[in-house]
Amino acid sequence: MRVHPASPFVRGWVALAAIAFFFGRDIFERSLQGRPVFQDELAGRAPFLLAGGGVVLLIAVLGFVLTWYFTKYQVSGGYVRVNTGLLFRQQRQARLDRVQAIDIVQPLLARIFGLAELKFEVADAGESAVRLAYLKIEDARQLRATILARAAGVTAGTGSPGEAVPEAPEFPVLAVPPSRLVGSLLLSEQSFFVALGAVVSVVLSVLTESSAFYLYLIPAALGLAASYWSLFNKGYNFTAAISPDGIRLRYGLLDTQAQTLPPGRIQALKITQPPLWRPFGWYRMQVNVAGYGLVDNAGEGTSRTTLLPVGRLDDVMSMLALVLPDPGSDHPADVFTAGLAGLDSDGGYVTTPRRARFLAPLGWRRNGFTATGTALLLRSGRWWRELVVVPHQRTQSMALQQGPLARRFGVADLVLHTTAGPVTPRLAQAGVDEALALFDQQSARARLARKRQTTEQWLRQVAPPLAEAVEAPQPVVEPPETPPVVEPVETQTKEGPKHG
């Protein structure tokens, strides 16, 4: 199958604009100045210029057509394949059961023509394994549904293997109001430092009787405005929903994007609360997903790894229930609440020993850890609060670190290694005995969790009965008037073997 015929023109409009600018700039300037458009010496060369411009335009259009003709894609045999190139041909393929996430991206020009770019991330891929630009928006949604259904472990039922899977229904979970998004930007860390810099500049200008310090505010103000616009443009109209194929996120003002994150593919999660957000009870959630942390565009990477740009505590709990359907605790609300705002041993956390309080006078009562049957929780920060959640089976490796001061006070840091991204799981200043015990226990938990993970299909991991129910032919029923409330499943799991 081929992409939409207009795809090369939507992607290459910059080249067409450059050609028009090169050949029409002089004429445009003469028109604005009221001078004759064609002078005598130019009139003699006009046919050659027009012919040259026509040849360049024809070559560009021919290149667009050939690019479209030789770009094909196929979904079969458990793989998605994309063939591109005329002289230098390239074939890219990816296993469907390794799909980490799928995005539908609509730049402004593509939205005008009703087109969309489909790209999805695959485990161990440094960049998007497949990018299909552009498809009709309906075709992109249909192809995404088919790929996600097979990646999640849902088959087409009684249909043929190549049969398309209808898009799964979804239930809205939350939406971020624009007013809250604007408030979070104005109360962000960068606003604080820019305001602090402005105060310092004013004081120095008054003391030195020189206005030169005001000049330093100009680039800061321009950079802050550009940053605000980028974050607002990407976070506008942020909504989250749950469906059998994963967590669906939609956001964007001019360029819209629709992500689908299978919960079982999230490697690590971080919840943060800057000090200026605390009076309003706002939090931010970010995740590590394979491939998302290794993108060329830092702004794009930030938006794609944001699970919740700003939300209240109930929003955080709702998203946690989606990411970690089985919290592995009899009292998950108490454990997570203590991780977000608790001190000392609240919620069963083990904190920095009192003897090391001089290394972190403000944070030693917050720095701590606890483990449930399914995840390791690391909390830190007295002013900038932070809670990191790492599912046991996503623990790739660990390292103990201890500097000279840490040895003096009998503490050590434990670092967990996951895929690249905004989350860096690190337990700071734990007691040496506690750190060593956690190192052994977490290794055992990770091994046991990976043994239980018998398939790469996330839906079969977290909800096998649901996967079987989706596969079986079901009669058509009317949807409920109100969506069901997603609650964490409370289970108990046996602890893995302990190593001394």
Side-chain angles (χ1 to χ4, degrees), residues 54-297:
V55 170
V56 173
L57 182 62
L58 180 62
I59 293 175
V61 172
L62 182 61
F64 289 164
V65 172
L66 292 177
T67 299
W68 164 79
Y69 183 81
F70 287 96
T71 300
K72 302 178 182 179
Y73 68 93
Q74 180 187 35
V75 181
S76 65
Y79 288 84
V80 57
R81 299 179 178 88
V82 177
N83 298 324
T84 57
L86 171 59
L87 299 178
F88 302 95
R89 296 189 177 182
Q90 182 183 51
Q91 182 187 74
R92 306 193 71 177
Q93 67 177 18
R95 285 174 49 181
L96 297 183
D97 60 357
R98 291 286 184 174
V99 171
Q100 299 289 317
I102 292 186
D103 301 349
I104 292 182
V105 183
Q106 281 191 288
L108 183 60
L109 188 60
R111 290 175 61 189
I112 296 175
F113 290 96
L115 303 179
E117 177 185 1
L118 181 67
K119 58 183 179 181
F120 59 92
E121 307 297 336
V122 178
D124 303 327
E127 57 183 8
S128 293
V130 174
R131 298 177 69 118
L132 294 176
Y134 289 86
L135 306 175
K136 288 184 178 180
I137 183 62
E138 296 81 5
D139 296 338
R141 290 172 179 168
Q142 179 64 74
L143 183 57
R144 179 186 65 171
T146 302
I147 294 175
L148 281 174
R150 298 180 186 179
V154 180
T155 61
T158 58
S160 61
E163 181 180 353
V165 178
E167 188 171 11
E170 65 179 43
F171 301 101
V173 175
L174 59 88
V176 177
S179 58
R180 185 189 302 172
L181 179 63
V182 173
S184 68
L185 296 177
L186 295 178
L187 297 176
S188 61
E189 301 92 325
Q190 58 186 6
S191 298
F192 172 79
F193 288 112
V194 170
L196 181 62
V199 172
V200 173
S201 298
V202 171
V203 172
L204 292 177
S205 299
V206 172
L207 294 178
T208 60
E209 298 182 356
S210 172
S211 61
F213 292 98
Y214 289 109
L215 299 178
Y216 294 105
L217 298 178
I218 297 177
L222 294 177
L224 185 63
S227 176
Y228 278 166
W229 167 249
S230 176
L231 294 174
F232 180 79
N233 182 38
K234 294 181 180 299
Y236 182 81
N237 197 29
F238 185 96
T239 60
I242 184 63
S243 71
D245 54 23
I247 304 171
R248 295 183 181 177
L249 308 176
R250 295 184 178 89
Y251 51 86
L253 179 59
L254 298 181
D255 299 342
T256 62
Q257 187 159 329
Q259 290 180 247
T260 301
L261 294 174
R265 301 300 195 184
I266 293 176
Q267 310 292 313
L269 178 144
K270 178 174 66 174
I271 307 168
T272 56
Q273 185 183 49
L276 296 180
W277 288 13
R278 195 175 304 176
F280 302 93
W282 293 342
Y283 298 88
R284 179 191 299 119
M285 300 180 69
Q286 295 174 291
V287 293
N288 281 2
V289 179
Y292 270 18
L294 300 174
V295 295
D296 296 333
N297 189 333

